[in-house]
Amino acid sequence: MKKAKASPSHPLDALVRTERIPHIWCPGCGIGTAFSACLMALHTSGLDLDKTVMVSGIGCSGRAAGYTRLDSYHTTHGRAIPFATGMKLAKPELQVIVFSGDGDLFAIGGNHIIHAARRNIDLTVLCVNNLNYGMTGGQVAATTPTLAKTTTTPRGNPEQPFNLPLLVYAAGATYVARWTILHTRDLTQSVQEALHHKGFAFIEVLAPCPTGYGRRNKERPLDTLKLYQERTLIKNGANPAEAFLDFERGVVLGKFVEEQRPTCIEMYDRTCRLPDSAAG
Amino acid sequence: MKFWRTPLDLQDIHVSKGMVLILEDRCKGCGYCIAFCPRDVLHESTRFNAKGYHPPEVKNPDACVNCHYCEIICPDLAIFSVEIPPHPVNAGPSEDNGSTGS
Amino acid sequence: MKPAVLTGEHFMTGDVACAEGALAAGCRFFAGYPITPATEIAEHMSHRLPDVGGTYIQMEDEIAAMAAVLGASCAGVKSMTATSGPGFSLMMENIGLGVCTETPCVVVNVQRAGPSTGLPTLGAQGDMMQARWGSHGHYEIIALAPASPQDIFYQTITAFNLSEKYRVPVLIMSDEVVGHLSERVVIPEPTAIRTFSRRRPKGRKDRFKPFCPGPDGVAPMADAGDGYRVHVTGLTHDERGYPVMTADCHAEMIARITGKIRRNLADIIRTESYRLDDADVAIVSYGVSSRSSMAAVDEARQEGIKVGLLRLITVWPFAEEAVAHLSRTVRALFTVEINLGQVHLEVERCAKGRVPCHLVGHAGGTVIAPERIVQAIKDHL
């Protein structure tokens, strides 16, 4: 019952490029937990993993693709979604997961995510939201809470952050959920649902960035997880408009939206292809 | 009138038992597994791993119920638990307790 | 329903001929964004592709279009986009990703006069150096310059073939005049069209190294979903595709992505000579300007000046040897292009001061008149 002497194998190792572990993420960084929830969901999904692809953009979360033993593509900053869109359209039998961060998906890549949601392209998008730009050392992001301190808002952030679930819902996403890394069982289940959802599925994962955000806002990693424990409320089906991210008032988690709408590819096939052209 | 009773199959209820395995050199010492273990199985060791962090160690092995929470909260794929098969002596003979109850 | 290869004689614009060339080459994915004067390529692809089993998508901008093209190509489908100056600028970062990840694709730039919005409806050749060096870092790329609708039909096929063979984005540097010019285009039988597809890996999937080149310097490429579980990144990477942040690994990777082009120049570089054999004076030109130059050659010869033309079909990598050779055989070199001296700089570089080099060019908005070229030759001799 003691620690095994020979190096045992982690249950997810088959899905990990173990020769690249330990990964680059800092102690207490939540990306690893979100990553492992995603892998666990894949592991138990029953999907053909040879036909499953992970696409990432740039940033800390963008490194996920490089650790996954799947076909994995680490693209340019902000462009994971259009890259994944092209891949899915060209080979619809692929299951395409986009794993990236809030800066990548919603600041530099903001235009792409709203259009992907509008098209209802069949992608599973995991957005790790750590409230700042971690890779570059903790600058203000489109998700940084008002008045929070970052290296580029030393006196506090004067701007208002995005409400990500509301934004993607308004743009047309047909599956929208938000969890924290502490709610990792719910998160894993949500990723599974999203993988089997037809259409654009979006999951926001709140995750601590102790080195960038936490350090300047007096939050140790365990403090952030306590916030996730004490200042959140699970409310499935909640209106995304209520999902504003404010730990003072409490943060709503859950599966907010799950709707059916023809996907981008279904609509293209139905509208643009002549009935006898399928064989090409 | 009694509205409650001791379950007839109390001795047969199987509480799974787990064993925690730690991949010490992957650990970055965040302490999540220690803080959020519902059965208080772990504590921080005084050892350093190859990267200079204190990995967790099992202080209370018998308490582990193999809930896997340490495994899924760990950001570093550094800890997991496996089920210890129940001891054959404890395996109750009655598969059909449901039919003998109230 | 029309077949993929539209065999027959047609009267079509350069833009439409480009789209037909792409279909004949096996292109089955197009992502685009409307921009004058390249829009007609997207329009034509949008109604032709779904009928031949392909997919067209109009993305939200040119950045997305270029990213989608790379994604589609990584899925194993021959892919392209078409744009003009402003869009070409937006595509630069992802063209670099294509270079770094060795992802085949074709990018058409129907050039208009810049900088900025410039003259959207009027032609120029001002993006030639951008084609060479527009994305950051040191790399090699292939760029072709078509001179007519018939020419762009064939060059688009060549572009796909080179792209697939060398795993590099290939740029077709067309221009507004070629794009909007309607001329006779003859499309041959499908069997008469040679197409090439990237080499796919064979052997054990778990041992495959996606960036380990074969004897030709090019690594076989696995499609997403083929079970090779490759990792592809724009970070400096080793033969496994894994990021390695060292100067040594970077040197190796850059040597690989430049070497596969530099070692195969003879296969990649195409030029055409017109009346060069006895020439005293040579014009170096490409694209629509090579047509003006050809007329100028005939005109000058009528006036007794022995002029010849070296037409660059492949502009990048540059035809260094051909130009250096010319500089040893003629008395003067003239570069004719619709800009204020871009390829001209390359001509000067390769002539190494052996002969005077002159530029006949202007800022853009119209083609260069043959008379102006003849006059420039007379002025300098």
Side-chain angles (χ1 to χ4, degrees), chain A residues 22 28 38 49-50 62 68 72 75 97 100 131 137 152 154 159-160 167 176 203 228 233 237 248 274:
Chain A
C38 177
L49 297 182
D50 276 344
T68 319
S72 53
T75 64
I97 300 153
S100 219
L131 312 181
T152 47
E159 298 178 13
Q160 180 182 295
L167 180 57
V176 182
I203 303 170
Y228 293 169
L233 176 70
E248 299 290 313
L274 298 175

Side-chain angles (χ1 to χ4, degrees), chain B residues 29-31 34 42-47 53-59:
Chain B
C30 67
I34 300 168
L42 301 160
H43 71 169
E44 191 178 78
S45 69
T46 51
R47 287 191 307 287
Y53 299 109
H54 296 291
E57 76 187 355
V58 177
K59 67 171 179 196

Side-chain angles (χ1 to χ4, degrees), chain C residues 167 199 208-214 217-220 238-241 256:
Chain C
R167 290 188 59 182
R199 212 149 40 83
F208 175 59
K209 288 185 183 163
F211 296 94
C212 181
V218 186
D238 61 15
E239 291 183 341
R240 297 170 301 171
R256 192 170 68 239

Side-chain angles (χ1 to χ4, degrees), chain C residues 126-146:
Chain C
D127 306 347
M128 298 311 295
M129 277 296 174
Q130 186 186 22
R132 177 64 188 88
W133 296 113
S135 200
H136 53 280
H138 195 103
Y139 60 94
E140 289 286 340
I141 202 151
I142 299 174
L144 309 177

